């Protein structure tokens, strides 16, 4: 067999067809390169569709493909002359050939990568044979090692394993850069909370609260404060569609009561403030996605798209919960996988900071799954102050308590410690209140 016959045209065509139907699957085969395709048309189509997916395009049609080929060097670098009829035929038959699960798609990608590895390794071995048969070549052993090692590294999907002595200096420089800012990570809008934890890339911060106790409003407040710091934010929402989220967002920014803004019962001055807030929002990098039922694939691909389109700094999950379908054990496992994906595959691998919320029980523990707590970096619980606590602390000290109950990245609070917050549901607002004076021990 000639080495050029080592190829899998069925898998190549299957990949292209699958990406036509599911362009977001491209994020699950980032080790696959256009050069690994043997058919030039397939190579060009793969490069074009993945480029569109990275730009956030979710529907692949003839016009979008023509535009990407004309606007880039994809056709010159990877492809061949094509006709509009070629594209029409590909789009027409794609649904019949496409795979409809990520797992099936990955098998196709693995097949193409396997053939590309065989071809490249064969050619490298032939080069090594020539080296062995030639005379007068110094450093033969090193040349062979280098040729084979580089090929192995190109096709391996595992992470690099750097020797710590080679990287310690760079990490120390990064630590020093963060020290200069006075805080590790991105600060919260609550100064006292920053003494315990900040919004840090690679970490997942969870706010816990009982049902209807202000979790979503807390996350919205954090999102706006991040936008004020010129951070890019992906907000994945299981509670509010984008219309209602926008209403809350504008109420928070304009300080027009939510019900007045929603009903349209506001003044001309209020309207001017709304227009000013909308103009400000248009200058910021915010994506809001309404997903009534969370699943791993949707959240992961949304984060990948956001990373490519707005340079994602923070992902916000409102909020971590099971689907409620099936038995309790299945829901527990599902929620554990979801939290693990957000913490490790998004926050960790993509170097993105994570913020989220989870429902608490009446005893102050996180509901649904202990795996939420297991994957979180920091957990802070929000509770209402009792009338007695408000009277004792003083009304200036607010109506909510925030306690850091778990913290991998710093200090956590004693049972009698808390941060004083002022909550105003009408204005969709959380602010840090005057901090109460702790009781002196008896």
């Amino acid at each position: 067999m000639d080495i050029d016959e080592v190829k899998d045209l069925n898998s190549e065509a299957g990949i292209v067809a699958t990406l036509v139907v599911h362009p977001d699957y491209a994020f699950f085969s980032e080790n696959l390169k256009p050069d690994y395709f043997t058919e030039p048309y397939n190579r060009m189509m793969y490069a074009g569709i993945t480029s569109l997916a990275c730009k956030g395009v979710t529907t692949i049609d003839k016009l979008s493909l023509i535009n990407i080929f004309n606007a880039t060097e994809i056709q010159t670098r990877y492809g061949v002359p094509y006709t509009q009829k070629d594209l029409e035929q590909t789009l027409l038959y794609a649904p019949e050939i496409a795979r409809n699960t990520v797992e099936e798609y990955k098998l196709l990608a693995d097949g193409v990568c396997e053939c590309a590895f065989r071809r490249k390794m064969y050619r490298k071995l032939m080069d090594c044979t020539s080296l062995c048969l030639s005379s007068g070549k110094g450093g033969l052993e090193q040349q062979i090692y280098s040729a084979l090692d580089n090929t192995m590294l190109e096709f391996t999907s595992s992470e690099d394993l750097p020797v710590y002595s080679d990287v310690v200096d760079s990490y120390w420089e990064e630590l020093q850069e963060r020290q200069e800012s006075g805080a590790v990570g991105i600060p919260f809008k609550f100064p006292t909370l920053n003494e315990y934890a900040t919004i840090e890339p690679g970490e997942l911060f969870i706010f816990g609260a009982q049902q209807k106790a202000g979790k979503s409003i807390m996350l919205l407040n954090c999102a706006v404060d991040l936008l004020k710091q010129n951070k890019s934010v992906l907000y994945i929402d299981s509670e509010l569609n984008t219309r209602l989220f926008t209403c809350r967002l504008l109420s928070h920014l304009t300080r027009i009561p939510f019900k007045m803004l929603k009903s349209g019962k506001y003044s001309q001055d209020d309207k001017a403030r709304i227009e000013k807030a909308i103009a400000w929002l248009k200058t910021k990098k915010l994506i809001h996605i309404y997903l009534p039922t969370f699943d791993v694939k949707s959240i992961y691909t949304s984060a990948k798209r956001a990373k490519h389109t707005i340079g994602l700094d923070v992902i916000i999950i409102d909020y971590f919960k099971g689907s409620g379908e099936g038995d309790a054990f299945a829901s527990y496992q599902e929620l554990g996988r979801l939290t693990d994906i957000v913490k490790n595959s998004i926050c960790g691998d993509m170097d993105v900071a994570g913020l989220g919320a989870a429902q608490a029980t009446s005893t102050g523990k996180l509901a649904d799954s202990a795996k939420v707590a297991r994957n979180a970096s920091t957990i802070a619980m929000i509770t209402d102050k009792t009338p007695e606590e408000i009277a004792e602390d003083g009304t200036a000290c607010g109506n909510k308590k925030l306690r850091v109950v778990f913290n991998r990245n710093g200090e956590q609070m004693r049972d009698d410690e808390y941060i004083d917050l002022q909550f105003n549901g009408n204005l969709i607002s959380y602010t840090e209140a005057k901090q109460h004076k702790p009781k002196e021990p008896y």
Side-chain angles (χ1 to χ4, degrees):
M1 177 185 286
D2 187 274
I3 189 60
D4 289 327
E5 295 178 25
V6 177
K7 54 189 175 183
D8 189 346
L9 293 179
N10 288 333
S11 289
E12 290 186 17
I15 288 170
V16 171
T18 302
L19 292 180
V20 166
V21 179
H22 307 288
D24 55 311
Y25 282 17
F27 299 127
F28 292 90
S29 62
E30 292 186 316
N31 291 324
L32 178 62
K33 300 177 183 178
D35 290 331
Y36 294 174
F37 289 75
T38 57
E39 173 58 45
Y41 180 77
N42 292 335
R43 187 185 308 144
M44 178 183 69
M45 289 293 290
Y46 176 76
I49 296 173
T50 53
S51 180
L52 289 169
C54 289
K55 294 178 182 296
V57 175
T58 57
T59 302
I60 304 299
D61 54 28
K62 183 174 68 174
L63 182 59
S64 65
L65 288 168
I66 291 172
N67 286 340
I68 197 69
F69 294 150
N70 290 341
T72 63
E73 298 179 354
I74 287 174
Q75 185 184 356
T76 304
R77 184 175 179 183
Y78 298 117
V80 290
Y82 68 93
T83 65
Q84 291 194 26
K85 186 176 181 181
D86 294 330
L87 298 181
E88 290 169 357
Q89 291 289 312
T90 300
L91 297 173
L92 176 64
Y93 292 110
E96 297 180 15
I97 306 171
R99 306 303 193 268
N100 292 307
T101 67
V102 171
E103 289 71 22
E104 290 176 300
Y105 174 75
K106 284 182 174 181
L107 289 175
L108 297 179
D110 289 344
V112 172
C113 288
E114 172 74 13
C115 290
F117 172 71
R118 289 172 180 270
R119 293 193 302 272
K120 189 158 189 176
M121 183 57 77
Y122 177 87
R123 293 188 175 102
K124 289 295 181 183
L125 289 170
M126 290 299 99
D127 291 343
C128 292
T129 301
S130 299
L131 287 172
C132 292
L133 294 174
S134 62
S135 59
K137 292 284 185 180
L140 177 61
E141 181 180 343
Q142 184 57 42
Q143 290 180 64
I144 291 174
Y145 271 127
S146 178
L148 300 185
D149 284 353
N150 289 340
T151 303
M152 295 296 293
L153 286 172
E154 177 185 346
F155 285 90
T156 185
S157 59
S158 61
E159 297 291 327
D160 292 336
L161 298 174
V163 178
Y164 189 72
S165 60
D166 294 336
V167 298
V168 62
D169 287 337
S170 64
Y171 283 113
W172 173 239
E173 289 174 6
E174 182 180 343
L175 281 168
Q176 289 178 307
E177 290 172 2
R178 294 188 176 196
Q179 290 166 358
E180 291 173 3
S181 67
V184 177
I186 308 164
F188 283 98
K189 66 180 291 188
F190 313 111
T192 306
L193 178 57
N194 293 323
E195 297 174 13
Y196 293 86
T198 55
I199 305 167
E200 189 172 354
E203 306 294 344
L204 177 61
F205 189 109
I206 298 287
F207 289 102
Q210 293 185 33
Q211 188 176 14
K212 306 300 180 184
K215 296 186 295 294
S216 296
I217 292 178
M218 171 59 81
L219 293 178
L220 184 146
N221 275 246
C222 291
V224 170
D225 191 64
L226 288 164
L227 296 179
K228 290 178 179 178
Q229 298 181 67
N230 293 318
K231 303 302 179 182
S232 54
V233 177
L234 170 62
Y235 196 115
I236 298 181
D237 200 332
S238 66
E239 296 291 287
L240 297 178
N241 61 37
T242 303
R243 175 178 55 83
L244 289 174
F245 175 82
T246 301
C247 192
R248 278 191 174 186
L249 186 59
L250 292 174
S251 174
H252 172 78
L253 287 169
T254 61
R255 298 194 63 78
I256 299 171
F258 175 75
K259 289 184 178 179
M260 287 178 57
L261 196 149
K262 184 180 178 183
S263 65
K265 296 178 180 178
Y266 46 78
S267 67
Q268 286 298 313
D269 288 343
D270 291 338
K271 184 178 178 182
R273 284 153 58 197
I274 293 170
E275 291 172 350
K276 183 178 179 181
I278 291 172
W280 180 80
L281 285 168
K282 288 180 178 180
T283 68
K284 301 302 176 182
K285 295 179 179 179
L286 170 66
I287 297 173
H288 178 268
I289 299 175
Y290 175 49
L291 293 175
T293 303
F294 285 166
D295 66 86
V296 169
K297 173 183 168 294
S298 297
I299 291 179
Y300 181 80
T301 55
S302 296
K304 278 288 187 179
R305 282 201 190 101
K307 187 72 173 175
H308 284 289
T309 55
I310 63 173
L312 185 60
D313 292 313
V314 183
I315 182 172
I316 297 178
I317 306 293
D318 186 5
Y319 62 96
F320 286 97
K321 61 181 178 181
S323 65
E325 299 176 357
D327 59 28
F329 180 75
S331 181
Y332 173 91
Q333 293 295 98
E334 171 198 10
L335 190 57
R337 286 194 298 272
L338 176 61
T339 314
D340 178 67
I341 284 289
V342 173
K343 171 61 175 71
N344 297 307
S345 298
I346 296 177
C347 296
D349 291 350
M350 298 185 200
D351 196 31
V352 167
L355 270 180
Q359 192 159 304
T361 64
S362 58
T363 61
K365 303 293 184 181
L366 289 186
D368 291 327
S369 172
K371 289 194 174 183
V372 174
R374 194 175 303 160
N375 283 288
S377 307
T378 306
I379 297 173
M381 305 300 293
I382 305 168
T383 53
D384 294 327
K385 286 188 178 182
T386 64
E388 293 76 19
E389 288 173 324
I390 292 174
E392 185 170 339
D393 293 343
T395 55
C397 293
N399 54 8
K400 292 273 189 179
K401 299 188 296 184
L402 180 67
R403 292 187 58 245
V404 177
V405 298
F406 173 80
N407 194 8
R408 285 196 178 96
N409 297 322
E411 187 181 357
Q412 61 191 49
M413 294 178 171
R414 301 189 309 268
D415 290 343
D416 60 344
E417 289 184 296
Y418 54 86
I419 298 169
D420 300 272
L421 299 180
Q422 183 63 48
F423 172 68
N424 188 327
N426 290 328
L427 299 179
I428 318 298
S429 172
Y430 270 101
T431 55
E432 180 166 322
K434 177 184 176 182
Q435 297 303 295
H436 70 285
K437 186 177 180 181
K439 290 180 182 179
E440 293 294 333
Y442 178 75

PDB file of all heavy atoms in Angstrom, residues 216-230:
ATOM      1  N   SER A 216     -30.111  35.644  42.116  1.00  0.00           N
ATOM      2  CA  SER A 216     -29.975  36.192  40.766  1.00  0.00           C
ATOM      3  C   SER A 216     -29.631  37.677  40.791  1.00  0.00           C
ATOM      4  O   SER A 216     -28.849  38.158  39.962  1.00  0.00           O
ATOM      5  CB  SER A 216     -31.270  35.971  39.974  1.00  0.00           C
ATOM      6  OG  SER A 216     -31.516  34.591  39.782  1.00  0.00           O
ATOM      7  N   ILE A 217     -30.206  38.402  41.735  1.00  0.00           N
ATOM      8  CA  ILE A 217     -29.908  39.832  41.833  1.00  0.00           C
ATOM      9  C   ILE A 217     -28.456  40.050  42.246  1.00  0.00           C
ATOM     10  O   ILE A 217     -27.790  40.967  41.765  1.00  0.00           O
ATOM     11  CB  ILE A 217     -30.887  40.514  42.802  1.00  0.00           C
ATOM     12  CG1 ILE A 217     -32.285  40.508  42.180  1.00  0.00           C
ATOM     13  CG2 ILE A 217     -30.443  41.929  43.141  1.00  0.00           C
ATOM     14  CD1 ILE A 217     -33.370  41.104  43.054  1.00  0.00           C
ATOM     15  N   MET A 218     -27.940  39.190  43.113  1.00  0.00           N
ATOM     16  CA  MET A 218     -26.529  39.274  43.479  1.00  0.00           C
ATOM     17  C   MET A 218     -25.636  39.065  42.253  1.00  0.00           C
ATOM     18  O   MET A 218     -24.688  39.828  42.006  1.00  0.00           O
ATOM     19  CB  MET A 218     -26.204  38.236  44.555  1.00  0.00           C
ATOM     20  CG  MET A 218     -24.716  38.100  44.855  1.00  0.00           C
ATOM     21  SD  MET A 218     -23.934  39.635  45.421  1.00  0.00           S
ATOM     22  CE  MET A 218     -24.421  39.613  47.142  1.00  0.00           C
ATOM     23  N   LEU A 219     -25.945  38.044  41.446  1.00  0.00           N
ATOM     24  CA  LEU A 219     -25.126  37.768  40.272  1.00  0.00           C
ATOM     25  C   LEU A 219     -25.227  38.901  39.250  1.00  0.00           C
ATOM     26  O   LEU A 219     -24.234  39.252  38.601  1.00  0.00           O
ATOM     27  CB  LEU A 219     -25.546  36.444  39.639  1.00  0.00           C
ATOM     28  CG  LEU A 219     -25.255  35.199  40.478  1.00  0.00           C
ATOM     29  CD1 LEU A 219     -25.771  33.946  39.775  1.00  0.00           C
ATOM     30  CD2 LEU A 219     -23.755  35.052  40.753  1.00  0.00           C
ATOM     31  N   LEU A 220     -26.416  39.481  39.085  1.00  0.00           N
ATOM     32  CA  LEU A 220     -26.560  40.612  38.168  1.00  0.00           C
ATOM     33  C   LEU A 220     -25.731  41.802  38.647  1.00  0.00           C
ATOM     34  O   LEU A 220     -25.074  42.479  37.843  1.00  0.00           O
ATOM     35  CB  LEU A 220     -28.033  40.995  38.044  1.00  0.00           C
ATOM     36  CG  LEU A 220     -28.361  42.105  37.043  1.00  0.00           C
ATOM     37  CD1 LEU A 220     -29.716  41.849  36.383  1.00  0.00           C
ATOM     38  CD2 LEU A 220     -28.370  43.487  37.707  1.00  0.00           C
ATOM     39  N   ASN A 221     -25.749  42.068  39.951  1.00  0.00           N
ATOM     40  CA  ASN A 221     -24.927  43.154  40.494  1.00  0.00           C
ATOM     41  C   ASN A 221     -23.449  42.920  40.211  1.00  0.00           C
ATOM     42  O   ASN A 221     -22.716  43.845  39.837  1.00  0.00           O
ATOM     43  CB  ASN A 221     -25.148  43.282  41.998  1.00  0.00           C
ATOM     44  CG  ASN A 221     -26.345  44.137  42.365  1.00  0.00           C
ATOM     45  OD1 ASN A 221     -26.201  45.213  42.943  1.00  0.00           O
ATOM     46  ND2 ASN A 221     -27.539  43.683  42.030  1.00  0.00           N
ATOM     47  N   CYS A 222     -23.016  41.672  40.383  1.00  0.00           N
ATOM     48  CA  CYS A 222     -21.614  41.349  40.108  1.00  0.00           C
ATOM     49  C   CYS A 222     -21.300  41.524  38.620  1.00  0.00           C
ATOM     50  O   CYS A 222     -20.225  42.022  38.250  1.00  0.00           O
ATOM     51  CB  CYS A 222     -21.305  39.920  40.544  1.00  0.00           C
ATOM     52  SG  CYS A 222     -21.323  39.674  42.331  1.00  0.00           S
ATOM     53  N   ALA A 223     -22.238  41.112  37.755  1.00  0.00           N
ATOM     54  CA  ALA A 223     -22.029  41.240  36.312  1.00  0.00           C
ATOM     55  C   ALA A 223     -21.842  42.700  35.913  1.00  0.00           C
ATOM     56  O   ALA A 223     -20.935  43.045  35.142  1.00  0.00           O
ATOM     57  CB  ALA A 223     -23.202  40.619  35.557  1.00  0.00           C
ATOM     58  N   VAL A 224     -22.700  43.584  36.426  1.00  0.00           N
ATOM     59  CA  VAL A 224     -22.595  45.009  36.091  1.00  0.00           C
ATOM     60  C   VAL A 224     -21.282  45.586  36.591  1.00  0.00           C
ATOM     61  O   VAL A 224     -20.610  46.352  35.890  1.00  0.00           O
ATOM     62  CB  VAL A 224     -23.789  45.791  36.667  1.00  0.00           C
ATOM     63  CG1 VAL A 224     -23.573  47.295  36.537  1.00  0.00           C
ATOM     64  CG2 VAL A 224     -25.069  45.380  35.956  1.00  0.00           C
ATOM     65  N   ASP A 225     -20.890  45.211  37.800  1.00  0.00           N
ATOM     66  CA  ASP A 225     -19.626  45.722  38.333  1.00  0.00           C
ATOM     67  C   ASP A 225     -18.439  45.246  37.492  1.00  0.00           C
ATOM     68  O   ASP A 225     -17.489  46.000  37.269  1.00  0.00           O
ATOM     69  CB  ASP A 225     -19.449  45.276  39.787  1.00  0.00           C
ATOM     70  CG  ASP A 225     -18.296  45.985  40.465  1.00  0.00           C
ATOM     71  OD1 ASP A 225     -18.367  47.218  40.612  1.00  0.00           O
ATOM     72  OD2 ASP A 225     -17.314  45.311  40.831  1.00  0.00           O
ATOM     73  N   LEU A 226     -18.508  44.007  36.987  1.00  0.00           N
ATOM     74  CA  LEU A 226     -17.450  43.510  36.106  1.00  0.00           C
ATOM     75  C   LEU A 226     -17.410  44.302  34.808  1.00  0.00           C
ATOM     76  O   LEU A 226     -16.332  44.614  34.287  1.00  0.00           O
ATOM     77  CB  LEU A 226     -17.677  42.024  35.818  1.00  0.00           C
ATOM     78  CG  LEU A 226     -17.387  41.078  36.986  1.00  0.00           C
ATOM     79  CD1 LEU A 226     -18.007  39.711  36.735  1.00  0.00           C
ATOM     80  CD2 LEU A 226     -15.883  40.945  37.217  1.00  0.00           C
ATOM     81  N   LEU A 227     -18.579  44.635  34.260  1.00  0.00           N
ATOM     82  CA  LEU A 227     -18.625  45.449  33.037  1.00  0.00           C
ATOM     83  C   LEU A 227     -18.023  46.827  33.289  1.00  0.00           C
ATOM     84  O   LEU A 227     -17.346  47.385  32.419  1.00  0.00           O
ATOM     85  CB  LEU A 227     -20.063  45.583  32.547  1.00  0.00           C
ATOM     86  CG  LEU A 227     -20.766  44.296  32.095  1.00  0.00           C
ATOM     87  CD1 LEU A 227     -22.192  44.602  31.670  1.00  0.00           C
ATOM     88  CD2 LEU A 227     -20.000  43.613  30.967  1.00  0.00           C
ATOM     89  N   LYS A 228     -18.257  47.378  34.474  1.00  0.00           N
ATOM     90  CA  LYS A 228     -17.669  48.677  34.824  1.00  0.00           C
ATOM     91  C   LYS A 228     -16.147  48.603  34.892  1.00  0.00           C
ATOM     92  O   LYS A 228     -15.460  49.617  34.708  1.00  0.00           O
ATOM     93  CB  LYS A 228     -18.231  49.173  36.162  1.00  0.00           C
ATOM     94  CG  LYS A 228     -19.699  49.588  36.074  1.00  0.00           C
ATOM     95  CD  LYS A 228     -20.232  50.022  37.431  1.00  0.00           C
ATOM     96  CE  LYS A 228     -21.691  50.470  37.328  1.00  0.00           C
ATOM     97  NZ  LYS A 228     -22.266  50.850  38.649  1.00  0.00           N
ATOM     98  N   GLN A 229     -15.631  47.393  35.148  1.00  0.00           N
ATOM     99  CA  GLN A 229     -14.177  47.185  35.151  1.00  0.00           C
ATOM    100  C   GLN A 229     -13.664  46.744  33.775  1.00  0.00           C
ATOM    101  O   GLN A 229     -12.535  46.304  33.635  1.00  0.00           O
ATOM    102  CB  GLN A 229     -13.812  46.137  36.205  1.00  0.00           C
ATOM    103  CG  GLN A 229     -14.166  46.538  37.623  1.00  0.00           C
ATOM    104  CD  GLN A 229     -13.760  45.482  38.633  1.00  0.00           C
ATOM    105  OE1 GLN A 229     -12.567  45.224  38.846  1.00  0.00           O
ATOM    106  NE2 GLN A 229     -14.737  44.850  39.281  1.00  0.00           N
ATOM    107  N   ASN A 230     -14.554  46.857  32.770  1.00  0.00           N
ATOM    108  CA  ASN A 230     -14.218  46.516  31.378  1.00  0.00           C
ATOM    109  C   ASN A 230     -13.842  45.049  31.201  1.00  0.00           C
ATOM    110  O   ASN A 230     -12.980  44.713  30.378  1.00  0.00           O
ATOM    111  CB  ASN A 230     -13.099  47.427  30.849  1.00  0.00           C
ATOM    112  CG  ASN A 230     -13.557  48.869  30.709  1.00  0.00           C
ATOM    113  OD1 ASN A 230     -14.660  49.137  30.251  1.00  0.00           O
ATOM    114  ND2 ASN A 230     -12.715  49.797  31.126  1.00  0.00           N
TER     115      ASN A 230
END
